[in-house]
Amino acid sequence: MLHQLSTLHPVLLALFAGLFTWGCTAAGAALVFFFKQLNQKMANVMFGFAAGVMIAASFWSLLAPALELSSGMGTFSFIPALVGFLLGGVFLRIVDRLIPHLHLGFPVAEKEGPKTKLHKIILLVFSITIHNIPEGAAVGVAFGAVIAGNTELLVAALTLAFGIGIQNFPEGAAVAIPLRGEGLTRWKSFWYGQLSAIVEPIFAVIGAYLVVHVSPILPYALAFAAGAMIFVVIEELIPESQREGSTDLATTATMIGFAVMMVLDVALG
């Protein structure tokens, strides 16, 4: 099975992986058909778990390989990882400034980005969409690095996609169910919940295409995806997971998410 997959073009593999992570978000969003409200503690656990997975994936699946690829530079082998990592954060900061959005659970008065009259629901969806951009890019870059016949790199990329898919499931529920609480119908809540992850297959294809056609950027691209993911974790996921006095519970979920992704990456990769 792995050998057959390794013969496919990396961009095609990235597309399939992006569709998988998108599908996991849609599956989580489908829980809105069974629940109208999401307990705040459970939401905190979901965001905390997602933060842990993304932190672990950022290091083991992205930064560590970036450093390894640059090891031939000797004393300056850290430069590609450093530059890429910082640029990833800068990119997300720019996106934050350019796209109006509102983090889940925050009042409209605290919306970020340029001034807008967009409805609160759209602003909430934009917030999660921004969050999903680096996840799609990370998956794409990982598959873009797969050389035909190299099952080791393929397993590492599959592990990353699987890990992101795992955290996308509860995340989909954490988006769709609150939208239902905002007054949307179940179908509209589901639609907007899954729509927030449509950028994942798109950016997965973009990331893979760039790496395949401009191979020298691979270590920079891996670190870039890591920096963007860490930016999201610090700026969005952790603050959202610490709301309404569930700090210890959310922190425990973050540790568990980190441990799960670490085990997956080290054991399978």
Side-chain angles (χ1 to χ4, degrees):
M1 180 64 175
L2 283 176
H3 177 71
Q4 292 176 325
L5 286 175
S6 65
T7 61
L8 297 177
H9 195 280
V11 176
L12 184 60
L13 287 172
L15 174 61
F16 290 152
L19 291 173
F20 166 74
T21 58
W22 177 26
C24 290
T25 302
L31 293 179
V32 75
F33 293 111
F34 305 97
F35 304 97
K36 185 176 181 178
Q37 292 183 329
L38 182 64
N39 180 277
Q40 186 58 53
K41 287 186 177 181
M42 183 56 66
N44 291 348
V45 167
M46 290 177 175
F47 285 121
F49 181 83
V53 169
M54 289 180 69
I55 293 171
S58 295
F59 178 73
W60 271 282
S61 297
L62 299 169
L63 274 179
L67 289 167
E68 185 176 348
L69 286 169
S70 306
S71 59
M73 296 176 64
T75 305
F76 300 100
S77 61
F78 64 87
I79 289 180
L82 175 64
V83 172
F85 183 82
L86 294 178
L87 285 178
V90 170
F91 171 74
L92 256 292
R93 178 56 180 158
I94 292 173
V95 171
D96 256 359
R97 296 291 297 273
L98 295 179
I99 300 178
H101 60 284
L102 175 67
H103 297 300
L104 288 169
F106 287 81
V108 177
E110 294 187 30
K111 62 179 180 292
E112 300 179 17
K115 292 183 179 180
T116 179
K117 294 182 179 179
L118 289 173
H119 193 278
K120 179 180 179 181
I121 301 301
I122 303 300
L123 294 174
L124 290 170
V125 173
F126 278 175
S127 175
I128 304 302
T129 300
I130 293 172
H131 166 155
N132 286 324
I133 289 174
E135 293 180 10
V139 169
V141 169
F143 278 96
V146 176
I147 303 170
N150 192 319
T151 55
E152 184 177 343
L153 289 175
L154 177 60
V155 169
L158 288 170
T159 301
L160 175 62
F162 183 64
I164 289 178
I166 288 176
Q167 64 98 21
N168 273 3
F169 180 82
E171 190 176 275
V175 175
I177 295 177
L179 292 179
R180 172 66 174 153
E182 292 288 339
L184 269 66
T185 64
R186 286 185 172 87
W187 276 106
K188 282 189 176 181
S189 298
F190 168 74
W191 172 254
Y192 283 122
Q194 62 80 31
L195 189 63
S196 67
I198 187 63
V199 294
E200 293 200 8
I202 294 172
F203 275 85
V205 168
I206 293 173
Y209 182 86
L210 288 175
V211 168
V212 167
H213 290 85
V214 194
S215 56
I217 71 168
L218 180 55
Y220 294 92
L222 288 166
F224 179 92
M229 286 176 65
I230 292 296
F231 184 95
V232 168
V233 169
I234 297 172
E235 198 259 352
E236 182 177 338
L237 290 181
I238 289 180
E240 289 182 3
S241 73
Q242 303 286 316
R243 292 171 50 226
E244 299 187 12
S246 301
T247 301
D248 291 340
L249 195 60
T251 301
T252 300
T254 302
M255 298 290 290
I256 293 173
F258 185 95
V260 168
M261 189 63 208
M262 177 180 66
V263 169
L264 284 174
D265 220 315
V266 176
L268 300 181

